[in-house]
């Protein structure tokens, strides 16, 4: 007879802090972060991977945490917006989002910022079309994307010294 796991012991490094827990095999990383690690900057939007509000950085890659099982992340490192408080690139992005009015209700902003930061980390001099493509998995229900793309492009321009 096959033994079905009812619980899985995990240790997940969240923003530099190891969190040990016993999770059900179907528990999402999103639920783990919000309800076990107390990391509420990760938002639950659609819970289907469509909106990107739950985006986190898992082992240096932006992922939608509602689509990842907590058990899959055992022994790995997860960063949320809180994990980038001292990060110069994230600070530049946050300032640029505010300057360009790219923050409306703010619900999508953590996912947008994490996606943009991860994208710029791997592609520091993108074209505007590449920025649009990079954030295409994150939905904003308040506005269009021009201000968000402007904010990311301004950070690129400042970092490259090409002016706004």
């Amino acid at each position: 007879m096959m033994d079905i796991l009812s619980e899985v012991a995990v240790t997940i490094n969240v923003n530099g802090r190891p969190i040990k827990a016993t999770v059900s095999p179907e528990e999402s990383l999103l639920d783990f972060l919000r309800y076990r690690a107390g990391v509420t900057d990760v938002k639950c939007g659609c819970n289907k991977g469509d909106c990107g509000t739950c985006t986190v950085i898992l082992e240096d890659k932006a992922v939608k945490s509602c689509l990842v099982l907590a058990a899959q992340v055992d022994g790995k490192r997860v960063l949320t917006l809180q994990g980038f408080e001292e990060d110069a690139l994230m600070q530049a992005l946050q300032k640029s989002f505010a300057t360009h009015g790219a923050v409306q209700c703010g619900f999508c902003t953590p996912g947008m910022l994490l996606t943009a930061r991860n994208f710029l980390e791997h592609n520091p001099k993108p074209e505007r079309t590449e920025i649009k493509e990079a954030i295409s998995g994150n939905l904003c229900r308040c506005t269009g994307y021009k201000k968000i793309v402007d904010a990311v492009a301004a950070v690129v321009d400042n970092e490259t010294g090409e002016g706004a």
Side-chain angles (χ1 to χ4, degrees), residues 104-121:
Q104 294 274 322
C105 80
F107 193 74
C108 70
T109 304
M112 287 282 189
L113 287 168
L114 286 168
T115 298
R117 192 213 172 276
N118 187 256
F119 172 67
L120 293 180
E121 182 179 35

Side-chain angles (χ1 to χ4, degrees), residues 31-79:
D31 286 344
F32 177 89
L33 291 170
R34 288 189 59 84
Y35 305 116
R36 294 180 187 266
V39 180
T40 56
D41 61 307
V42 181
K43 306 296 183 201
C44 179
C46 66
N47 221 13
K48 298 186 300 185
D50 292 337
C51 73
T53 59
C54 66
T55 299
V56 298
I57 306 302
L58 172 60
E59 298 288 325
D60 297 321
K61 183 178 178 187
V63 299
K64 295 172 182 174
S65 62
C66 70
L67 297 179
V68 178
L69 297 174
Q72 294 175 299
V73 186
D74 182 35
K76 296 185 179 175
R77 184 173 59 110
V78 176
L79 291 169

